[in-house]
Amino acid sequence: DAGVIQSPRHEVTEMGQEVTLRCKPISGHNSLFWYRQTMMRGLELLIYFNNNVPIDDSGMPEDRFSAKMPNASFSTLKIQPSEPRDSAVYFCASSLGDRGLPDTQYFGPGTRLTVL
Amino acid sequence: AQKVTQAQTEISVVEKEDVTLDCVYETRDTTYYLFWYKQPPSGELVFLIRRNSFDEQNEISGRYSWNFQKSTSSFNFTITASQVVDSAVYFCAPSLIPGRRALTFGSGTRLQVQP
């Protein structure tokens, strides 16, 4: 079975532009997570979904960030407008999430975002 | 506030040495889960182990072993006979907030294994 798929793998954009990151979770997984990794702040959770519903978005930095999960096999993280401080590696992860417990999260390869 | 501490920022060892990576966490909960992940230079995050707070037995998987001590809130990771391929950043990631599936990642320990 394919793992978590993220696209694009690399994104370079200019400040002010809209950026959309995409994620396809592992088939059958009910929970999906978006993390951001930077040197300064390490790995931090942005938002997570369970059964396509956002459960906790307290990590979303500000209104410029939004995430959606229109169906069980697809999620997007959008930044509009982007700023240089958004430069980071964005990881998507999924887990079974069917027992109300912290199941093992399997991570995608990440999207390296550079905002100039 | 709940938090996880990996006090060792960077460790350098020579191949075949044993090395232990420390992880200490704070939580008010009595039921929680503990994870370790590895991030090699290629950048992906690789799952290593998941344990629950009820099970304090040490776990061994090949050259890897984990020591969980609930009384001291520690979940340490030992690599026996380290190899160059073990060079990576290792993250301890407990689920610290009750009712949340999300993990709280430590700052990571960078392990360099020299040949």
Side-chain angles (χ1 to χ4, degrees):
Chain A
D1 188 17
V4 176
I5 299 171
Q6 290 186 248
S7 65
R9 295 292 308 276
H10 302 271
E11 176 82 28
V12 180
T13 191
E14 292 192 348
M15 184 173 65
Q17 296 298 306
E18 177 179 297
V19 174
T20 299
L21 311 182
R22 297 173 176 78
C23 175
K24 177 178 168 54
I26 293 172
S27 177
H29 282 191
N30 298 320
S31 292
L32 183 139
F33 306 79
W34 282 101
Y35 290 88
R36 178 171 68 176
Q37 184 176 33
T38 61
M39 290 294 291
M40 291 296 295
R41 300 175 66 90
L43 264 164
E44 51 182 349
L45 177 74
L46 299 177
I47 185 171
Y48 82 90
F49 296 83
N50 191 51
N51 292 322
N52 312 337
V53 176
I55 302 300
D56 186 347
D57 64 355
S58 59
M60 295 286 264
E62 48 199 90
D63 292 346
R64 297 185 298 105
F65 284 69
S66 63
K68 293 182 179 178
M69 192 163 186
N71 58 61
S73 58
F74 183 65
S75 175
T76 59
L77 178 68
K78 187 176 293 187
I79 308 173
Q80 165 63 18
S82 58
E83 296 182 2
R85 61 192 167 122
D86 301 330
S87 298
V89 179
Y90 290 82
F91 286 100
C92 176
S94 71
S95 70
L96 279 172
D98 57 354
R99 296 171 293 171
L101 300 171
D103 284 315
T104 299
Q105 294 179 27
Y106 296 93
F107 284 76
T111 295
R112 181 174 295 277
L113 173 65
T114 303
V115 183
L116 303 174
Chain B
Q2 290 93 341
K3 67 176 184 179
V4 54
T5 302
Q6 293 182 256
Q8 306 146 307
T9 305
E10 188 159 346
I11 300 174
S12 184
V13 300
V14 177
E15 215 171 11
K16 297 196 175 79
E17 282 187 35
D18 298 347
V19 57
T20 295
L21 311 182
D22 298 332
C23 174
V24 176
Y25 54 90
E26 298 176 16
T27 181
R28 294 189 298 266
D29 208 4
T30 55
T31 303
Y32 49 89
Y33 286 76
L34 302 152
F35 298 78
W36 276 90
Y37 283 83
K38 171 182 178 180
Q39 188 172 39
S42 51
E44 72 270 27
L45 282 155
V46 179
F47 164 72
L48 295 177
I49 190 170
R50 171 182 185 259
R51 297 296 299 277
N52 71 56
S53 55
F54 292 126
D55 185 359
E56 291 199 59
Q57 279 199 333
N58 289 341
E59 174 117 2
I60 298 174
S61 175
R63 295 185 298 107
Y64 295 170
S65 62
W66 288 268
N67 180 267
F68 171 45
Q69 304 254 349
K70 196 168 185 178
S71 60
T72 56
S73 296
S74 66
F75 187 42
N76 297 335
F77 172 37
T78 297
I79 302 175
T80 303
S82 58
Q83 300 176 1
V84 173
V85 294
D86 296 327
S87 297
V89 180
Y90 291 85
F91 292 96
C92 177
S95 63
L96 295 182
I97 301 177
R100 280 185 69 191
R101 294 194 178 95
L103 306 180
T104 302
F105 280 82
S107 54
T109 297
R110 181 178 299 278
L111 174 65
Q112 295 270 12
V113 182
Q114 309 290 344

